[in-house]
């Protein structure tokens, strides 16, 4: 990662470069929006490795919303807000789809916990395992019919 002149050699992100996207709840729009976010994060000095990791997290979270929260509801939008902070990205995702099961974000399962070499990879839970492995301070809440997912992604680990 290029050194930006900060005393500790870590990335100092500009806090004025908030990224906000209103994303139609559709897989194609999710993919397009993530691509746009990748470009915008690259302009702020975030490393390509961190951009790759945050893209995985965003793809898992946003596609889960399309697949589960809006699977029977059309013409909906997802709000994505990324606020750069010193050495981290604060991410907020909002939608008004169905709430998460049991009112909380899934824990997620590592796919190798009960894996037989002849099995296909298990479906379900691995995305949340990845999300939880890559982010910090993950919080899910539902207020006034709106799902709110909030987490911090530390850059320049």
């Amino acid at each position: 990662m290029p050194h930006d002149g900060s005393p500790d050699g870590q990335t100092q992100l500009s806090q004025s470069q908030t990224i906000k996207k209103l994303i139609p709840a559709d897989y194609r729009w999710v993919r397009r929006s993530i691509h746009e976010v990748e470009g915008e994060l690259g302009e702020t000095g975030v490393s390509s490795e961190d951009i790759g990791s945050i893209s995985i997290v965003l793809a898992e979270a946003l596609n889960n919303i399309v697949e589960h929260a809006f699977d029977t509801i059309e013409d909906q939008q997802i709000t994505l807000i990324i606020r750069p902070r010193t050495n981290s990205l604060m991410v907020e995702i909002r939608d008004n789809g169905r709430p998460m099961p049991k009112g909380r974000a899934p824990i997620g399962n590592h796919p190798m916990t009960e894996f037989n070499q002849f099995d296909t990879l298990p479906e379900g839970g691995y995305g949340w395992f990845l999300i939880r492995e890559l982010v910090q301070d993950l919080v899910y809440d539902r207020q006034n019919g709106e799902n709110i997912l909030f987490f911090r992604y530390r850059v320049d680990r």
Side-chain angles (χ1 to χ4, degrees), residues 45-110:
V46 176
S47 73
S48 59
E49 181 180 339
D50 283 328
I51 290 172
S53 293
I54 194 67
S55 295
I56 289 170
V57 171
L58 292 176
E60 289 295 339
L62 295 171
N63 284 322
N64 276 341
I65 293 168
V66 172
E67 182 177 358
H68 301 292
F70 290 133
D71 64 334
T72 59
I73 306 169
E74 294 185 23
D75 299 322
Q76 297 296 313
Q77 289 191 329
I78 303 164
T79 301
L80 170 65
I81 303 169
I82 301 174
R83 295 178 181 90
R85 297 294 183 254
T86 303
N87 299 323
S88 67
L89 301 170
M90 305 305 287
V91 179
E92 180 179 342
I93 302 173
R94 293 174 173 260
D95 70 82
N96 62 351
R98 285 198 309 272
M100 289 202 192
K102 301 180 184 176
R104 61 180 183 263
I107 293 174
N109 300 313
H110 190 285

Side-chain angles (χ1 to χ4, degrees), residues 14-20 40 81-85:
S14 170
Q15 295 185 21
S16 64
Q17 296 174 312
T18 295
I19 298 169
K20 183 172 183 179
E40 292 175 55
I81 303 169
I82 301 174
R83 295 178 181 90
R85 297 294 183 254

